[in-house]
Amino acid sequence: MLEPFNGYIYPNEYFLQWELLIVLYPYLTGLVAGAFILASLERVFHVKALLPVYRLALLSALAFLIAAPLPLMAHLGHPERALEMLVTPHTASAMAMFGFVYAWYLLVVLLLEIWFDYRADIVHLSNTKTGVMKYVYKILTLGATDVSPEALRFDEKAGRLITIIGIPSAFMLHGYVGFIFGSIKANPWWSSVLMPIVFLFSAIVSGMAAVLLIYMVASWARWKPIDMACVNKLAEFLLYAMLVDFTLEILDFIHRLYESEESIHILSQLISDRLFISLIITQVLIGGLLPLFGILVGRYGKFPDEMRKMLYFLVGILIQVGIFSMRWNVVIGGQMFSKSLRGLTIYKVHLMGIEGLLVSIGFLILPLAVLFVLLRLLPPWLNEKQEEEAVPVA
């Protein structure tokens, strides 16, 4: 069993200030960015094989975006004060500026893009549904009921333009989280110029894997066949993103070794002692190398489709474990050594309380519940004509 403390620890470093909720926050924002960038591959770069997951990725990004700031607000203890940074903005505060990035991304990018993409469907549903839902869809049309070919062409152009604008916004949304950690010069575990880029690519990996999992589970729940061309193409992009992400993390590690600053000894002790399981075993082996090998075998090996699906599903779960471990190692690991660089502390997860395990699980389930409602309100599934337009890929 690990000792609670060893070495020289300042009194104010016995207990960690950022706990499990702060681990959840970058994890959820990463899913937003990854899901949106996946959707943009079809919308902007015309990767037609991804058409079956395009709308699903957009709705997933919206669901995760709605839930993402809630753990942060719960951690702060006064969620009602969150709007103060918009009313009285502090331009020198990166956290305050994120409020504007979040509002821009939610209100201008995601909601507008989804509205333009679904407008014709919403008009159709407002004319065919009965009861309360008829009025719900009428409100959602915002009075724009023209579905002429010219109007639909405008929707397509507007949606594509917003997606193009949204790509750098998605990069900023998650790059900012890495920027926050990387800017803390007093902490050698966080202070790295590569931190925003590492966070960004790990976000892309986690978001793509999440959409893959959601698509497979939704297809099984609807008793619909899984489009193998789509999941194969998704696995290819996932492989590319994982290779870049893994390379960046290795580069960051080598850079720290090459610099060999005075903190290198305590960081080495931190990795070999406190973070050995969560970093070496969970993040690198289980959540990194195993999924990489699984995608390579699944995508380019000769397997029946049923076995390939199970392999992709397992890979998706392992990636989530690995990315969550990465967030854990950054947030928790950065607080486990003393500023004296001569001592280590420990962190144990509590079951109850606002920072406890049960509340955190609730925050993880919440975006899935929001997504369920969105899927019922705005079904993202393809019709027969759209399925024919999807280009099959071997």
Side-chain angles (χ1 to χ4, degrees), residues 8-57:
Y8 297 92
I9 293 284
Y10 292 119
N12 62 342
E13 294 171 334
Y14 287 168
F15 304 102
L16 275 59
Q17 301 299 314
W18 292 354
E19 300 188 52
L20 199 50
L21 291 183
I22 302 301
V23 179
L24 285 181
Y25 172 61
Y27 175 70
L28 291 176
T29 55
L31 296 176
V32 177
F36 182 83
I37 290 168
L38 174 62
S40 69
L41 290 174
E42 196 283 328
R43 190 60 178 267
V44 178
F45 302 104
H46 304 294
V47 184
K48 291 300 180 186
L50 296 179
L51 191 57
V53 296
Y54 164 65
R55 283 182 162 185
L56 181 62

Side-chain angles (χ1 to χ4, degrees), residues 45-359:
F45 302 104
H46 304 294
V47 184
K48 291 300 180 186
L50 296 179
L51 191 57
V53 296
Y54 164 65
R55 283 182 162 185
L56 181 62
L58 278 182
L59 295 181
S60 300
L62 179 60
F64 289 123
L65 187 66
I66 291 172
L70 300 182
L72 181 61
M73 293 167 69
H75 169 80
L76 294 175
H78 287 281
E80 75 280 2
R81 296 180 183 174
L83 294 178
E84 290 183 10
M85 65 181 178
L86 301 176
V87 179
T88 56
H90 188 342
T91 55
S93 167
M95 291 292 288
M97 289 300 100
F98 165 71
F100 292 97
V101 174
Y102 176 86
W104 160 268
Y105 194 74
L106 174 64
L107 300 175
V108 180
V109 176
L110 258 184
L111 287 180
L112 261 185
E113 179 174 351
I114 291 173
W115 186 78
F116 275 115
D117 197 76
Y118 273 94
R119 196 183 66 81
D121 299 73
I122 294 171
V123 172
H124 173 71
L125 289 168
S126 70
N127 293 328
T128 55
K129 288 286 183 180
T130 57
V132 177
M133 291 310 296
K134 179 182 182 69
Y135 295 99
V136 171
Y137 286 114
K138 277 192 174 300
I139 294 172
L140 290 178
T141 63
L142 303 180
T145 56
D146 183 4
V147 289
S148 63
E150 292 78 15
L152 296 182
R153 277 196 293 273
F154 177 81
D155 290 346
E156 173 66 22
K157 290 180 181 176
R160 189 163 183 267
L161 176 63
I162 293 169
T163 307
I164 293 171
I165 296 172
I167 293 174
S169 303
F171 277 53
M172 287 176 61
L173 181 69
H174 201 69
Y176 130 86
V177 181
F179 175 84
I180 293 288
F181 287 105
S183 302
I184 301 178
K185 299 175 185 177
N187 191 314
W189 186 244
W190 292 335
S191 181
S192 168
V193 291
L194 287 176
M195 189 67 80
I197 308 173
V198 170
F199 262 72
L200 180 59
F201 275 92
S202 62
I204 294 172
V205 170
S206 64
M208 285 184 174
V211 174
L212 173 68
L213 289 173
I214 292 170
Y215 172 66
M216 297 182 80
V217 171
S219 298
W220 286 327
R222 297 169 58 240
W223 297 95
K224 297 289 183 183
I226 291 174
D227 189 320
M228 288 308 297
C230 175
V231 292
N232 281 334
K233 181 59 73 177
L234 188 46
E236 283 181 27
F237 282 110
L238 197 49
L239 175 64
Y240 305 147
M242 285 192 73
L243 285 173
V244 175
D245 178 45
F246 199 71
T247 306
L248 286 170
E249 290 187 33
I250 294 294
L251 185 62
D252 183 45
F253 179 71
I254 294 174
H255 184 248
R256 290 174 189 273
L257 285 179
Y258 183 77
E259 278 189 326
S260 291
E261 293 184 346
E262 63 273 13
S263 60
I264 192 67
H265 297 294
I266 192 66
L267 295 186
S268 301
Q269 192 179 347
L270 176 70
I271 293 173
S272 61
D273 189 342
R274 297 297 198 251
L275 299 184
F276 183 78
I277 293 178
S278 62
L279 178 60
I280 304 300
I281 304 297
T282 310
Q283 181 184 334
V284 177
L285 294 180
I286 296 177
L289 294 178
L290 267 181
L292 265 176
F293 179 71
I295 294 178
L296 280 171
V297 171
R299 179 63 188 93
Y300 300 106
K302 294 182 179 179
F303 295 101
D305 283 347
E306 289 304 315
M307 187 175 292
R308 202 187 300 272
K309 290 174 195 172
M310 295 309 297
L311 195 55
Y312 287 157
F313 187 76
L314 182 60
V315 163
I317 291 176
L318 291 180
I319 287 175
Q320 296 308 320
V321 172
I323 298 300
F324 188 86
S325 299
M326 182 264 187
R327 308 301 192 234
W328 171 280
N329 292 323
V330 170
V331 176
I332 302 297
Q335 303 172 83
M336 295 181 78
F337 61 90
S338 172
K339 287 185 174 58
S340 68
L341 302 181
R342 297 172 66 190
L344 294 172
T345 185
I346 197 169
Y347 171 65
K348 290 184 179 179
V349 178
H350 305 290
L351 181 62
M352 307 300 289
I354 193 66
E355 298 276 0
L357 185 61
L358 290 181
V359 172

